[in-house]
Amino acid sequence: MNISSIQPYNSNFLTINKQQGASNDSSFGTMLNQYIQDANLAVKDFEGKTAALARGEAVNLHDVTIAAQKANIAVALTAQVRDRAVEAYQEIMRMQI
């Protein structure tokens, strides 16, 4: 089976947008902050589309459903990263010197 012609899927969801000319100094805190902001934007997008749908505006129901799933995944991912970071911190604190 030849799979060399399959192209990778490039998603713009939850990517870190780097400005041109920005330094390559990306710490864990900076990356985490960016992911939290992306998750917040996804939730706000969902809330806006849901409110527009409730007001009776012409909003595609599929867009609202997709926005809901994106927000759900973004929040779940952020919570998992937070839980893993807390777990790693607790493990470091249990280490004996």
Side-chain angles (χ1 to χ4, degrees):
M1 175 188 242
N2 185 7
I3 62 171
S4 63
S5 63
I6 297 175
Q7 297 296 321
Y9 177 73
N10 294 326
S11 175
N12 292 334
F13 186 62
L14 290 179
T15 58
I16 298 175
N17 298 324
K18 292 188 177 182
Q19 297 175 355
Q20 292 180 352
S23 66
N24 290 335
D25 182 34
S26 59
S27 66
F28 177 74
T30 305
M31 288 175 40
L32 185 61
N33 191 23
Q34 183 64 42
Y35 283 126
I36 290 170
Q37 289 175 0
D38 289 344
N40 190 30
L41 287 175
V43 170
K44 285 184 180 183
D45 180 48
F46 166 64
E47 289 173 349
K49 288 182 179 181
T50 304
L53 183 68
R55 287 190 299 265
E57 295 177 8
V59 177
N60 192 352
L61 186 58
H62 295 289
D63 290 338
V64 176
T65 306
I66 291 169
Q69 287 301 314
K70 283 183 178 181
N72 185 19
I73 291 169
V75 170
L77 176 66
T78 304
Q80 285 294 321
V81 170
R82 181 210 53 206
D83 292 345
R84 296 288 172 112
V86 169
E87 185 179 317
Y89 173 77
Q90 289 173 345
E91 185 68 27
I92 290 171
M93 288 295 116
R94 283 192 291 259
M95 286 183 180
Q96 294 181 1
I97 299 177

